[in-house]
């Protein structure tokens, strides 16, 4: 199960959310009164009890779903489903408290507005001196700040009740976490196995063939009696040996990016960018160096994205941006290619499993015609 991440709401939306909460609290109070009457009326008719309770729970679930939508839209809080039946009815009953407190806060605000209008009118009529007007303004500003804080506190109480009564309990969260860890472990094993197969193919189809050809060149040079031809064969063998060393270094970096031992992620990606056939811009803004596991995952994602863009996207420019925010390390790899990357493909799906093993998220946005954006979010610690 993917843990919902809170979204910071606009400050102007919180008062609107509290005001709507007052209206929904009125609706919920009427619903609870009607439900109590229905239960009392059905008590004398046993066959009707179950139907009444089922209807009450169904309507309670609908009202609770609207409350989730309100909290998500105006308070920036996603409450995952986890409650059912009586817990939802209990939540609607508990919601009467923030509804009443919100009504009280807005009532006090309305009284303050009326008093402020009276003071302003008195100032314009000359009934109130400058000193008294300034004193009233200071007192009114202080009371307004207290009232604003009261509205924010009501919103916080509303969110806390929803998380407590509508969200999953501790046992459910623990079970979901165990399932998530089991799935990510299986995904990592599959990703490592796929990477091993890929390395084996690279060694067999690339490096091994090059070494065989190198051995044949050296054999021909050894048998040759022409000094010029021998020199040419040795020069070609030397070039092939250098290319084999470069390919071996590439394979070794896929297994373990040893450059991260001596340099940070930005410097290592700069070295990778220099070897790319497509121009690459790297911007890394990490005030604190993340853990090695996080750096390694970001490195593999960036290299795979650069390789895909160079081979398949026909891109002319690739940008890699890395930064932090909300206790997360974020990386975005963007290219101006033709798009059409398949997130379910072997390479990207393997990267998604590798990222999920670190409690992160990988998103691929690659519409046909381009551009392609690969985004990664990983916890800093």
């Amino acid at each position: 199960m993917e843990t919902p991440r809170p979204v910071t709401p606009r400050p102007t939306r919180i008062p609107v959310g509290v005001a709507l909460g007052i209206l929904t609290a009125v609706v919920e109070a009427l619903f609870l009164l009607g439900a109590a009457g229905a239960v009392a009326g059905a008590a004398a008719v046993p066959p009707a009890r179950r139907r009444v309770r089922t209807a009450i729970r169904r309507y309670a679930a609908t009202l609770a779903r609207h409350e989730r939508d309100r909290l998500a839209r105006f308070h920036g809080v996603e409450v995952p489903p986890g409650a059912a039946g009586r817990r939802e009815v209990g939540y609607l009953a508990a919601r009467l408290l923030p509804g009443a407190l919100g009504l009280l806060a807005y009532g006090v605000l309305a009284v303050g507005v009326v008093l402020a209008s009276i003071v302003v009118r008195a100032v314009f009529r000359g009934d109130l001196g400058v000193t008294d007007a300034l004193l009233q303004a200071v007192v009114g500003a202080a009371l307004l700040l207290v009232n604003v804080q009261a509205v924010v506190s009501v919103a916080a109480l509303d969110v806390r009740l929803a998380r407590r009564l509508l969200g999953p309990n501790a046992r459910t969260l623990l079970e979901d976490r165990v399932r998530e860890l089991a799935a990510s472990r299986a995904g990592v094993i599959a990703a490592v196995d796929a990477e091993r197969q890929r390395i084996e193919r690279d060694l067999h189809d690339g490096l091994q063939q090059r070494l065989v050809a190198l051995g044949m060149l050296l054999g021909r040079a050894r048998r040759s009696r022409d000094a010029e031809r021998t020199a040419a064969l040795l020069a070609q063998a030397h070039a092939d040996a250098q290319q084999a060393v470069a390919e071996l270094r590439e394979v070794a970096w896929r297994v373990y990016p040893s450059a991260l031992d001596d340099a940070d992620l930005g410097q290592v990606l700069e070295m990778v960018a220099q070897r790319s056939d497509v121009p690459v811009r790297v911007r890394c803004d990490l005030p604190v160096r993340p853990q090695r596991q996080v750096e390694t995952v970001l490195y593999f994602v960036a290299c795979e994205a650069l390789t895909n863009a160079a081979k398949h996207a026909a891109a002319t420019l690739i940008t890699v941006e890395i930064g932090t925010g909300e206790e997360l390390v974020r990386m975005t790899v963007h290219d101006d290619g033709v798009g059409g990357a398949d997130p379910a493909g072997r390479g990207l799906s393997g990267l998604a499993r590798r990222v999920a093993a670190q409690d992160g998220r990988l998103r691929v946005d690659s519409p046909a015609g381009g551009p392609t954006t690969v985004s990664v979010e990983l916890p800093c610690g």
Side-chain angles (χ1 to χ4, degrees):
M1 186 182 82
E2 183 179 354
T3 303
R5 301 182 185 271
V7 179
T8 303
R10 296 178 183 175
T12 54
R13 289 191 174 187
I14 294 179
V16 178
V18 173
L20 290 177
I22 297 172
L23 298 178
T24 57
V26 174
V27 175
E28 289 153 8
L30 296 175
F31 166 75
L32 291 173
L33 289 175
V39 170
V45 186
R49 293 179 186 174
R50 180 174 298 180
R51 291 195 298 271
V52 169
R53 291 176 181 174
T54 301
I56 290 174
R57 291 175 182 175
R58 184 172 66 252
Y59 288 118
T62 301
L63 292 174
R65 185 174 64 252
H66 288 303
E67 290 295 343
R68 285 194 184 95
D69 295 340
R70 178 179 64 85
L71 294 176
R73 181 174 181 181
F74 295 99
H75 298 308
V77 176
E78 294 284 349
V79 180
R86 295 180 180 178
R87 288 188 66 195
E88 291 180 336
V89 176
Y91 166 73
L92 297 180
R95 268 231 69 245
L96 298 181
L97 176 60
L101 293 176
L103 181 60
L104 177 62
Y106 277 103
V108 172
L109 180 62
V111 172
V113 171
V114 173
L115 294 178
S117 64
I118 294 175
V119 171
V120 171
R121 193 177 305 169
V123 170
F124 279 108
R125 287 203 306 261
D127 298 337
L128 198 63
V130 176
T131 303
D132 293 335
L134 291 176
L135 179 61
Q136 293 292 336
V138 171
V139 173
L143 292 177
L144 178 61
L145 290 176
V146 172
N147 195 259
V148 170
Q149 182 59 45
V151 172
V152 174
S153 300
V154 170
L157 176 61
D158 207 356
V159 170
R160 186 176 301 176
L161 285 176
R163 284 176 169 169
R164 175 68 177 174
L165 299 177
L166 285 183
N169 54 31
R171 180 181 179 85
T172 302
L173 288 175
L174 182 59
E175 292 175 350
D176 291 340
R177 182 58 176 165
V178 170
R179 285 194 293 268
E180 180 181 350
L181 290 176
S184 63
R185 177 179 177 272
V188 169
I189 293 175
V192 170
D193 185 62
E195 189 67 22
R196 286 176 178 172
Q197 294 178 6
R198 180 176 178 178
I199 293 171
E200 191 276 334
R201 287 195 304 270
D202 290 342
L203 291 174
H204 182 272
D205 299 337
L207 186 59
Q208 180 176 329
Q209 300 299 327
R210 188 173 295 278
L211 291 177
V212 170
L214 177 61
M216 295 175 63
L217 280 174
L218 292 175
R220 291 170 59 189
R222 183 179 180 182
R223 292 190 299 270
S224 176
R225 297 182 182 276
D226 185 350
E228 292 184 0
R229 179 174 176 79
T230 299
L233 290 173
L234 288 177
Q236 184 178 353
H238 181 262
D240 286 353
Q242 290 181 324
Q243 185 63 32
V245 171
E247 291 182 6
L248 182 60
R249 186 182 298 113
E250 291 290 338
V251 173
W253 273 43
R254 290 182 186 176
V255 178
Y256 180 79
S258 57
L260 289 174
D261 292 336
D262 303 319
D264 60 29
L265 180 61
Q267 295 170 335
V268 174
L269 291 181
E270 288 285 356
M271 290 187 288
V272 175
Q274 292 174 4
R275 302 197 306 269
S276 175
D277 297 331
V278 180
V280 179
R281 295 177 183 172
V282 178
R283 183 165 63 244
C284 183
D285 183 13
L286 295 177
V288 179
R289 187 170 181 177
Q291 290 185 353
R292 179 56 187 272
Q293 299 92 326
V294 174
E295 280 190 325
T296 303
V297 171
L298 293 176
Y299 166 81
F300 280 121
V301 173
C303 289
E304 180 70 21
L306 293 178
T307 301
N308 289 342
K311 287 185 177 180
H312 309 296
T316 60
L317 178 63
I318 306 172
T319 58
V320 181
E321 297 183 356
I322 306 173
T324 59
E326 297 181 3
E327 299 183 354
L328 295 172
V329 179
R330 293 189 174 92
M331 182 178 72
T332 302
V333 183
H334 178 86
D335 70 71
D336 59 356
V338 297
D342 183 11
R346 176 177 296 181
L348 290 176
S349 61
L351 292 177
R353 291 192 292 265
R354 190 187 291 267
V355 171
Q358 295 292 330
D359 288 335
R361 296 191 300 176
L362 183 142
R363 293 189 298 272
V364 179
D365 182 16
S366 183
T372 297
T373 302
V374 179
S375 304
V376 180
E377 291 183 351
L378 288 168
C380 292

